[in-house]
């Protein structure tokens, strides 16, 4: 009877619908699994080539061909002539570099080298990071670059190990700490930029075991300090504007020497500073702007957090997330932070970098 045939047709139809649904479902799963892995925000969208394109608009003769770190072979097999002295080149520092580079390394860890997309966060030390709850967001980036800033309270004399106190006491002074501030600044550190006068942090507790400790050389003494620390040679005290640590428990395998090329680019291309300055009006880029420049030559995406200073009229506002110093402490420095702010604003307007906190 016809009712029986109708049932059959319905059955076939139902089977057909199930098959259609199943194939769509499979397709969906396929797309989900292979095209859009369910992950944190936008891990899959990599704006490949965008940083290069936009950076070339801002930086004349932009190239990614220069190595990030100095390596021994450049000073041993071929004597690479450098145009400038520190901080823009290595002219005149070749001998101490030969010694220092023979005990440090220059390679990038395989875990970074193999990344298909280098999503980078450059984390400053600005007061705006306080209570920002940015820690989890910062930790999601593939590469987190931090730096220890120079200005800060002068070291109390009792904290100098050479005066008879233990290194444990000198560690109370902590520059750009992560420990205790994880919620606001995160805990991941891929690279930490520092120089002797700013190296007041415990290399082990304030970093991850694989953090690269990147020395930013400003003067030949900085190479000598690093070599003395790593080779446990006699420490030199003269020639620093603030006492650097005399004991510094770092693994030499994690130490890198930043190529001064990036300081040159920061000064010449981003700040338009004259490369040959009369000795008196020496203005140098801050390590913060340098860290951004480095990221622009290395990353596929650059986000910044904790940059910027309070209004210069605001004399009482503290400038760092971890210590009570004001803009006054920057006054005597060789940096012009308002000039640098203009450079960073230009990057933001171009969409070359993005700010994660107010800038
Ligand atoms: C994620 O990607 C979408 C679309 O590409 C974009 O609108 C959004 O701003 C991105 N979010 C983040 C956090 O980058
Ligand atoms: C780019 O390089 C050329 C050749 O070395 C040089 O003449 C020119 O001044 C450079 N331009 C900038 C903006 O640095
Ligand atoms: C951060 O939050 C704590 C506790 O809520 C508060 O006491 C402190 O004043 C806040 N600090 C800043 C700089 O907003
Ligand atoms: C610092 O930079 C600002 C803005 O570029 C400029 O107006 C000012 O004269 C500079 N100050 C010094 C001391 O060079
Ligand atoms: C970035 O800075 C601008 C001011 O220059 C601000 O309006 C914006 O809210 C900031 N973005 C974030 C995510 O804080």
């Amino acid at each position: 009877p016809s009712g029986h045939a109708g049932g059959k047709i319905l059955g076939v139809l139902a089977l057909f619908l199930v098959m259609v649904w199943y194939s769509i479902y499979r397709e969906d799963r396929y797309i989900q699994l292979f095209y859009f892995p369910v992950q944190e925000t936008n891990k899959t969208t990599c704006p490949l080539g965008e940083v290069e394109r936009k950076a070339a608009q801002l930086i004349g003769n932009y190239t990614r061909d220069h190595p990030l770190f100095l390596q021994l072979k450049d000073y041993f097999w071929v004597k690479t002539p450098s145009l400038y002295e520190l901080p823009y080149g290595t002219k005149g520092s070749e001998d101490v570099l030969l010694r220092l580079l023979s005990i440090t390394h220059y390679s990038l860890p395989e875990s970074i080298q193999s990344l298909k997309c280098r999503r980078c966060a450059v984390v400053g030390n600005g007061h705006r990071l306080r209570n920002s709850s940015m820690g989890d967001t910062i930790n999601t980036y593939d590469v987190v670059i931090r730096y220890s800033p120079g200005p800060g309270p002068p070291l109390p004399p009792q904290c100098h190990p050479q005066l008879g106190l233990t290194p444990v006491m000198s560690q109370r002074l902590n520059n750009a700490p992560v420990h205790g501030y994880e919620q606001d600044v995160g805990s991941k550190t891929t690279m930490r930029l520092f120089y002797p006068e700013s190296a007041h942090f415990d290399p082990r507790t304030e970093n991850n075991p694989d953090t690269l400790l990147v020395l930013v050389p400003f003067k030949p003494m900085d190479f000598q300090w690093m070599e003395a620390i790593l080779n446990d040679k006699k420490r030199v005290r003269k020639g620093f504007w603030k006492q650097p640590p005399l004991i510094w428990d770092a693994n030499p395998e994690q130490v890198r020497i930043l190529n001064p090329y990036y300081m040159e680019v920061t000064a010449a291309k981003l700040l338009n500073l004259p490369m040959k300055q009369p000795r008196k009006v020496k203005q140098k880029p801050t390590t913060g702007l340098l860290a951004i420049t480095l990221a622009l030559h290395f990353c596929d995406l650059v986000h910044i957090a904790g940059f910027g200073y309070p209004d210069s009229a605001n004399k009482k506002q503290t400038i760092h997330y971890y210590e009570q110093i004001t803009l006054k402490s920057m006054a005597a420095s060789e940096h012009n932070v308002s000039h640098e702010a203009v450079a960073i604003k230009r990057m933001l307007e171009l969409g070359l970098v993005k700010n994660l906190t107010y800038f």
Side-chain angles (χ1 to χ4, degrees), residues 3 14 18 21 52 62 82-83 114-115 163 194 233 239 253 286 298:
V18 165
W21 170 79
E52 282 100 317
Y62 172 80
S82 187
L83 220 52
S114 63
L115 284 172
L163 298 180
F194 70 94
K233 288 177 92 172
E253 305 218 343
T286 61
F298 165 74

Side-chain angles (χ1 to χ4, degrees), residues 127-134 184:
H127 176 77
R128 286 186 198 283
L129 280 170
R130 251 192 110 101
N131 291 359
S132 68
S133 302
M134 289 298 297
D184 294 332

Side-chain angles (χ1 to χ4, degrees), residues 271 273 281 283 331 333 335-343:
L271 298 175
L273 297 177
V281 279
Q283 191 188 312
S333 76
H335 310 301
N336 182 340
V337 293
S338 48
H339 189 42
E340 294 201 353
V342 175

Side-chain angles (χ1 to χ4, degrees), residues 112-351:
I112 300 175
Q113 198 74 59
S114 63
L115 284 172
K116 293 234 162 46
C117 187
R118 292 178 183 159
R119 300 169 72 258
C120 303
V122 184
V123 183
N125 299 292
H127 176 77
R128 286 186 198 283
L129 280 170
R130 251 192 110 101
N131 291 359
S132 68
S133 302
M134 289 298 297
D136 287 342
T137 304
I138 287 168
N139 286 342
T140 64
Y141 287 80
D142 303 305
V143 174
V144 178
I145 304 174
R146 297 179 201 273
Y147 60 91
S148 299
L155 290 183
Q158 70 269 22
C159 286
H160 293 170
Q162 98 259 22
L163 298 180
L165 284 173
T166 61
V168 176
M169 293 195 70
S170 69
Q171 279 165 17
R172 279 183 318 189
L173 287 143
N174 217 345
N175 212 342
V178 164
H179 190 66
Y181 298 87
E182 290 89 348
Q183 239 204 322
D184 294 332
V185 306
S187 54
K188 180 175 182 169
T189 308
T190 315
M191 295 185 206
R192 183 187 276 263
L193 275 51
F194 70 94
Y195 48 94
E197 292 92 342
S198 82
H200 293 277
F201 56 86
D202 182 335
R204 296 196 192 259
T205 61
E206 293 303 337
N207 296 299
N208 317 124
D210 57 352
T211 299
L212 296 182
L213 298 161
V214 181
L215 174 72
V216 176
F218 278 91
K219 51 194 180 306
M221 285 300 299
D222 297 350
F223 291 141
Q224 273 164 39
W225 171 81
M226 192 79 256
E227 195 218 348
I229 291 279
L230 296 179
N231 269 344
D232 202 18
K233 288 177 92 172
K234 186 175 186 301
R235 313 291 197 264
V236 183
R237 281 198 271 160
K238 284 218 174 93
F240 298 101
W241 54 266
K242 177 178 173 179
Q243 174 72 64
L246 299 176
I247 296 174
W248 204 67
D249 182 23
N251 178 358
E253 305 218 343
Q254 298 304 118
V255 175
R256 301 286 182 277
I257 315 298
L258 187 71
N259 188 344
Y261 170 76
Y262 297 99
M263 187 67 93
E264 184 205 326
V265 170
T266 310
K269 307 286 175 66
L270 290 174
L271 298 175
N272 295 310
L273 297 177
M275 285 293 96
K276 301 244 188 247
Q277 298 182 76
R279 287 213 174 269
K280 278 206 169 155
V281 279
K282 268 211 172 126
Q283 191 188 312
K284 289 171 197 156
T286 61
T287 320
L289 189 63
L290 175 71
I292 296 179
T293 307
L294 179 65
L296 293 180
H297 288 80
F298 165 74
C299 304
D300 295 306
L301 176 148
V302 180
H303 290 176
I304 62 172
F307 275 79
Y309 291 96
D311 204 296
S312 55
N314 200 342
K315 299 245 183 324
K316 292 254 171 71
Q317 178 65 61
T318 58
I319 59 175
H320 292 153
Y321 68 83
Y322 56 91
E323 65 184 358
Q324 304 291 319
I325 64 164
T326 63
L327 213 46
K328 225 167 53 184
S329 66
M330 295 288 294
S333 76
E334 296 170 309
H335 310 301
N336 182 340
V337 293
S338 48
H339 189 42
E340 294 201 353
V342 175
I344 295 175
K345 275 265 189 275
R346 257 201 340 256
M347 294 179 198
L348 292 171
E349 281 159 15
L350 255 179

Side-chain angles (χ1 to χ4, degrees), residues 75-89:
Y75 296 88
F76 200 73
W77 300 115
V78 270
K79 224 170 174 214
T80 315
S82 187
L83 220 52
Y84 305 111
E85 293 172 11
L86 285 172
Y88 304 133

